[in-house]
Amino acid sequence: MADKVFTTSATAVGGREGQVKSDNGVIEVQLSMPKGDDIPSDASNPEQLFASGYASCFDGALNLMASKSKEEIESETKAEVSLLKDPHDGGFQLGVALHVSIKGVDQSKAEELVEKAHEFCPYSKATRGNVDVSLHVKAQ
């Protein structure tokens, strides 16, 4: 294993109908299983938490790639995480669509930066080959 740069943790109790809390207490949320597209307003779920992490990590990687390319950008990344039926075992799997808006570059450069971020982002590396991730890029 490579040298650790950072370690954190979160603890879940009660699964999808319980709660999860980060080690520093900043994240402390009730969990509830969504009913179709109906997400309770007073609870979260693992997919929403994963989307939050992926969006923030990817946007950070994107801004780093822009900086390395000497591009000044403003960006917004929305990670849309879907819980999908897994046809192989009858269980579930994840699907991700990353919607990225970038100001400050043209469409071609925006797509290039997003591809570089997708190669660099730890979440993208972790999902590669395991989760279908689609990239949707819009230069503004």
Side-chain angles (χ1 to χ4, degrees):
M1 181 179 255
D3 294 335
K4 287 183 187 177
V5 176
F6 174 73
T7 301
T8 190
S9 66
T11 303
V13 177
R16 287 184 168 269
E17 296 295 333
Q19 67 178 32
V20 65
K21 182 177 181 180
S22 62
D23 55 358
N24 67 354
V26 170
I27 298 170
E28 185 172 5
V29 295
Q30 290 300 121
L31 301 172
S32 181
M33 182 69 176
K35 313 293 188 263
D37 283 336
D38 183 32
I39 299 172
S41 62
D42 62 345
S44 189
N45 56 67
E47 294 74 32
Q48 206 172 46
L49 296 168
F50 184 77
S52 298
Y54 202 162
S56 57
C57 188
F58 192 89
D59 203 60
L62 174 61
N63 279 274
L64 179 61
M65 295 301 104
S67 175
K68 286 184 173 192
S69 296
K70 308 246 187 290
E71 299 287 350
E72 298 224 5
I73 66 166
E74 291 180 30
S75 63
E76 178 178 288
T77 300
K78 175 183 178 183
E80 185 177 276
V81 175
S82 299
L83 187 62
L84 310 168
K85 291 276 190 175
D86 187 339
H88 296 76
D89 65 6
F92 300 96
Q93 62 187 31
L94 296 178
V96 177
L98 294 176
H99 301 272
V100 185
S101 297
I102 303 175
K103 292 179 184 175
V105 294
D106 64 18
Q107 184 67 27
S108 176
K109 181 53 107 171
E111 290 172 4
E112 177 187 323
L113 291 172
V114 166
E115 284 296 331
K116 286 180 179 180
H118 193 46
E119 289 299 313
F120 185 83
C121 173
Y123 275 71
S124 291
K125 288 178 183 179
T127 59
R128 194 167 290 123
N130 298 308
V131 175
D132 287 333
V133 178
S134 61
L135 304 173
H136 306 272
V137 185
K138 182 178 178 186
Q140 296 181 326

